[in-house]
Amino acid sequence: MIHCRCAKKEFGNTKKKNSSAFEYFTKAAELGEMEAHCRLAAMYYVGHVLEKDRVKHLHHLEEAAIGGHPTARYNLGCHEWNNDNEERAVTHYIIAATQGNDDSIKALMGAFKGGFVSKDDLAAALRAHQAAVDATKSPQREAAKIARI
């Protein structure tokens, strides 16, 4: 069985902060910001500021995933997996893996062990994941990482 992590962010300690965050994320999502869609999905999932709303949660996850947000794509895979749509879940996991999402690789490994992913598909996803991770590496990022230590 694959255990999926859903995006559970802390949005502040007071209702006023949460309300402001919701307003800013809503405006940013209207302007096409995919991270804002992902955050709104988490807010609807957890029930911060507003009532839990599965339909709005999925709407914002889908918008973010379509826009290329890897965590949203992974979370859609989790949703599909938990609803016994393994084939759709695996498709979401593969797409997220090609975008460099580490959790999707773990999910694909579990799906492979369960017989839901072929060896060839897993190998292709691993290669695509590594290529995406390598594409984010640069001497400047490595120097910045060392400077922070």
Side-chain angles (χ1 to χ4, degrees):
M1 175 181 203
I2 296 175
H3 297 283
C4 297
R5 283 187 251 155
C6 292
K8 292 183 181 179
K9 303 282 184 181
E10 291 197 30
F11 298 101
N13 296 328
T14 67
K15 193 161 186 113
K16 183 178 178 183
K17 283 183 184 178
N18 289 340
S19 180
S20 295
F22 177 74
E23 290 173 21
Y24 286 120
F25 290 146
T26 300
K27 181 65 175 170
E30 289 169 0
L31 295 171
E33 176 58 45
M34 295 308 119
E35 180 66 25
H37 277 294
C38 197
R39 298 281 182 114
L40 285 170
M43 292 179 94
Y44 280 114
Y45 179 81
V46 176
H48 285 298
V49 180
L50 35 123
E51 294 296 316
K52 290 183 180 184
D53 188 327
R54 183 176 178 264
V55 172
K56 289 182 181 178
H57 162 72
L58 289 175
H59 165 75
H60 286 290
L61 270 185
E62 288 169 354
E63 288 294 319
I66 289 168
H69 197 285
T71 302
R73 182 66 70 173
Y74 166 76
N75 284 340
L76 275 178
C78 292
H79 171 76
E80 295 295 348
W81 186 270
N82 291 334
N83 286 299
D84 297 324
N85 297 321
E86 290 87 1
E87 189 174 327
R88 288 185 72 176
V90 166
T91 300
H92 286 300
Y93 293 148
I94 289 172
I95 294 168
T98 63
Q99 296 171 326
N101 183 277
D102 295 331
D103 291 329
S104 63
I105 292 296
K106 294 174 190 168
L108 285 169
M109 296 295 266
F112 173 73
K113 289 176 186 173
F116 296 101
V117 179
S118 71
K119 187 175 183 179
D120 291 339
D121 288 343
L122 179 61
L126 287 168
R127 284 190 300 274
H129 176 268
Q130 189 60 50
V133 170
D134 289 345
T136 64
K137 292 182 180 177
S138 71
Q140 293 86 359
R141 285 183 190 219
E142 295 301 319
K145 198 182 289 185
I146 291 170
R148 279 185 255 160
I149 296 176

